[in-house]
Amino acid sequence: MKPVKPKEEFVHSVFESIAPKYDRMNDILSFQRHRYWRKFTMDKLAIHPGASALDLCCGTCDWTISLAEASGTGRIVGLDFSQNMLDIGQEKVREAGLSDRIELIQGNAMQLPFADNLFDLVTIGFGLRNVPDIEQVLLEMQRVVKPGGRVVCLELSKPTWQPFKALYYFYFRKVLPLLGKLIAKRYEEYRWLPESLIQFPDHRELAAMFRGTGLVQVEAYPLTGGIAALHIGAKNQSK
């Protein structure tokens, strides 16, 4: 299924509709590996106490909460364009006792409502493949991070090893939408999500895009046979 609406509008409608079952579906569809991927990322980042962070496409705020817990006292902001996702995230923030530490904003990752050089860290988890313009989002992330600060992306990727690659694509294209229909009652939405990966760059291509936008010290880590990847880049100190 190809979206007939502009991509941004279509993706917004997808996430508004799947928000109530989003967390449960993530656990089921990734076999809970997304938790390991996020822990691996947090270990790599080794966030220092007091660091400020912006979490783009924060969804239901699992990573936002992890950033706040690691920072301790720093300003943490979560931004997402889906109010339904933010409403669920806000409740999780409240339950974690972090309402006074985390600010949640409905906004657009393509046009961030923040000044230049504001955050120590800007992250995006499982959202970059859904934006209309990847390069524009990376440029915006780089703009609002401080010189020497880091731009971080944790995202689904493309395995390269056969026969695992063929098995993965069968699961992602055939089984995942059926699970979406059975559990979340959302077949079309979960049929589209695998398609969002087809045109998305693999981990090497995305690393090249990081460098192409001016980020330095770029690192790429394929995870779980390449089905996900972590990318970290730093903003040039001279900017």
Side-chain angles (χ1 to χ4, degrees):
M1 181 187 76
K2 294 183 178 180
V4 294
K5 304 175 184 178
K7 181 174 181 179
E8 193 168 9
E9 182 182 348
F10 179 80
V11 173
H12 180 265
S13 69
V14 167
F15 282 95
E16 285 282 271
S17 67
I18 68 175
K21 297 290 181 68
Y22 180 79
D23 289 335
R24 184 183 178 196
M25 289 299 294
N26 273 358
D27 280 345
I28 292 170
L29 299 177
S30 74
F31 301 99
Q32 299 199 19
R33 296 304 289 168
H34 71 100
R35 299 175 185 271
Y36 159 75
W37 299 334
R38 192 166 60 250
K39 182 181 184 304
F40 177 89
T41 299
M42 293 299 292
D43 289 344
K44 284 291 180 185
L45 293 178
I47 296 170
H48 62 81
S52 59
L54 169 63
D55 185 24
L56 299 185
C57 303
C58 65
T60 59
C61 297
D62 284 344
W63 199 358
T64 320
I65 291 170
S66 294
L67 291 167
E69 291 172 342
S71 169
T73 58
R75 181 191 182 193
I76 307 297
V77 179
L79 180 144
D80 201 284
F81 68 169
S82 168
Q83 188 60 51
N84 287 349
M85 298 285 275
L86 288 173
D87 289 345
I88 294 170
Q90 187 67 69
E91 180 61 21
K92 290 163 77 170
V93 168
R94 186 193 66 78
E95 291 175 354
L98 294 169
S99 296
D100 60 338
R101 295 266 333 283
I102 294 176
E103 178 185 5
L104 298 183
I105 297 174
Q106 185 178 26
N108 190 336
M110 300 273 290
Q111 296 177 307
L112 296 177
F114 305 106
D116 298 355
N117 307 320
L118 189 60
F119 298 96
D120 295 303
L121 189 73
V122 182
T123 65
I124 184 166
F126 308 107
L128 193 61
R129 75 185 187 283
N130 295 318
V131 303
D133 188 331
I134 295 171
E135 183 176 344
Q136 173 63 20
V137 171
L138 291 177
L139 288 169
E140 277 291 274
M141 294 174 75
Q142 185 175 178
R143 177 181 67 81
V144 301
V145 80
K146 298 175 183 177
R150 290 173 292 176
V151 169
V152 184
C153 173
L154 178 60
E155 184 56 273
L156 297 179
S157 191
K158 300 174 180 178
T160 57
W161 177 66
Q162 293 285 14
F164 178 68
K165 181 178 180 180
L167 181 63
Y168 170 73
Y169 276 110
F170 174 80
Y171 170 76
F172 208 49
R173 290 174 173 170
K174 303 297 184 182
V175 179
L176 185 150
L178 294 176
L179 289 173
K181 179 180 180 180
L182 178 66
I183 299 168
K185 312 303 181 187
R186 288 290 187 271
Y187 178 77
E188 294 297 334
E189 288 83 349
Y190 281 94
R191 189 174 74 168
W192 176 78
L193 288 175
E195 294 180 8
S196 69
L197 187 61
I198 294 174
Q199 301 301 323
F200 191 70
D202 64 25
H203 74 275
R204 296 182 185 88
E205 293 167 335
L206 187 55
M209 293 186 73
F210 265 55
R211 297 184 185 99
T213 59
L215 292 165
V216 297
Q217 301 173 15
V218 175
E219 302 170 286
Y221 301 92
L223 303 170
T224 313
I227 67 174
L230 166 65
H231 289 76
I232 304 172
K235 183 172 180 174
N236 196 306
Q237 290 277 9
S238 63
K239 290 190 175 182

